[in-house]
Structures are given as structure tokens and as C-alpha cells.
Amino acid sequence: MFKASVRVTLRQSVHDPQGNAVKRSLHALGFDGVKDVRVGKLLELEVDVPNRAQAEEQVVAMCERLLANPVIETYTVSVEEADA
Amino acid sequence: MFKASVRVTLRQSVHDPQGNAVKRSLHALGFDGVKDVRVGKLLELEVDVPNRAQAEEQVVAMCERLLANPVIETYTVSVEEADA
């Protein structure tokens, strides 16, 4: 069993209305030092496959097919052995 | 200037309907090895404060007041110097 952590973030060139909304709220709370906020998705998966290479390969395929929109998003995948 | 990365995830005891929906979709795409999916938020902030300790302190305060709901979520904060 393997644990995969997938970080999906908007490409830098893509406008982030959600991030801007969070920034405005933080300013309204007095956190004036905040210059930029980008909001992304974090997915934590448990995958039952024979080895780590297969886990990595499958999670990348999941990103390409479902978890990330390649037009506006980029993703990173990290895989580790799940505690027995 | 400092870059902070905030990971907000549901507490383990909290039901994750979004994660379940993603899991079902992955199964429908043939990724049968997926046993569990948890969906969380990833926030990347740029904070203009004098030093790292203040950056960390402020971002934790932002989590407590806005970015995370302490009843159902937990968060982690990591801070690094932004490239000049």
C-alpha cells in the first residue's frame, strides 16, 4: 500500500479569483503584509499496487485523466510507503 | 519577502464526500487500486514582513482566523525566503 500526495495549482499565467478573494479578506482582517495568495488542491490517496514505480505511474495517469486540468493547472506527485 | 505554503486537510474523523466522489470517478476510470482519497486545500502566500518568525506567526494567525476551520480541519504551515 502506498500513500500519494498530489498538489494541483493554477499555472502562474492563470488569474486566481479565489486567491484574490482570500487576499482581500486577509487585508480586511488586518494582515496587510500579504502580497499574493494562490489557492490550489491537495489530494491524499491510498493506492494498493505491487510497487512504488507503479504507484507513481498510476497517480500521474490519474492526474492526467481526472485530478488536474492540464490547460490551466500543473501538478506534482509524491509517493511514499504507507505505514503497515 | 517570504513564501508560505499552507496545507488544510479534513480531520481524519470527518467524512469526506468530495474525496469519495473522486474515488468513485477514479474507479470508473479503471483505477481499482485506489483505496482512499482525501481532498484538501493548498494555499501559497507571499508575505512581506521583516523576518521569518513574524511570517510564520502571521500565517498561523491567518489559519486560525480565516484559512482553516478548526472544528473540522487541521493545517500545516511551512515558510521559506522568497527568491529576491
Side-chain angles (χ1 to χ4, degrees):
Chain A
M1 183 79 87
F2 292 86
K3 274 199 170 190
S5 184
V6 176
R7 299 164 61 119
V8 180
T9 50
L10 287 172
R11 291 182 184 281
Q12 279 302 333
S13 55
V14 176
H15 177 58
D16 183 358
Q18 193 177 2
N20 281 340
V22 171
K23 185 170 74 170
R24 280 196 306 274
S25 303
L26 290 172
H27 285 169
L29 288 171
F31 297 108
D32 305 330
V34 177
K35 297 304 171 205
D36 190 38
V37 179
R38 307 283 293 179
V39 178
K41 284 177 289 195
L42 180 67
L43 297 114
E44 288 169 345
L45 303 100
E46 276 185 22
V47 189
D48 191 6
V49 286
N51 59 62
R52 186 199 187 97
Q54 263 191 319
E56 224 151 86
E57 200 183 298
Q58 283 205 15
V59 174
V60 166
M62 294 174 207
C63 290
E64 292 289 327
R65 295 189 62 191
L66 179 74
L67 304 180
N69 174 347
V71 174
I72 60 168
E73 293 172 328
T74 58
Y75 62 87
T76 60
V77 173
S78 62
V79 174
E80 59 188 40
E81 198 112 15
D83 333 338
Chain B
M1 183 79 87
F2 293 87
K3 275 199 170 190
S5 185
V6 176
R7 298 165 62 118
V8 180
T9 51
L10 286 172
R11 292 183 186 279
Q12 279 303 332
S13 56
V14 176
H15 177 58
D16 182 358
Q18 194 178 0
N20 281 339
V22 170
K23 185 170 76 171
R24 281 195 305 273
S25 302
L26 289 172
H27 285 170
L29 288 172
F31 297 108
D32 303 331
V34 177
K35 296 303 170 205
D36 190 39
V37 179
R38 307 283 292 177
V39 179
K41 284 178 289 193
L42 179 67
L43 296 115
E44 289 169 346
L45 302 100
E46 277 184 22
V47 189
D48 191 6
V49 287
N51 59 60
R52 186 198 187 100
Q54 262 192 321
E56 224 153 85
E57 198 183 299
Q58 282 204 16
V59 174
V60 167
M62 293 175 207
C63 289
E64 293 289 327
R65 295 189 62 191
L66 179 73
L67 305 179
N69 174 347
V71 175
I72 60 167
E73 292 172 329
T74 57
Y75 62 87
T76 61
V77 172
S78 62
V79 173
E80 59 189 39
E81 198 113 17
D83 334 337

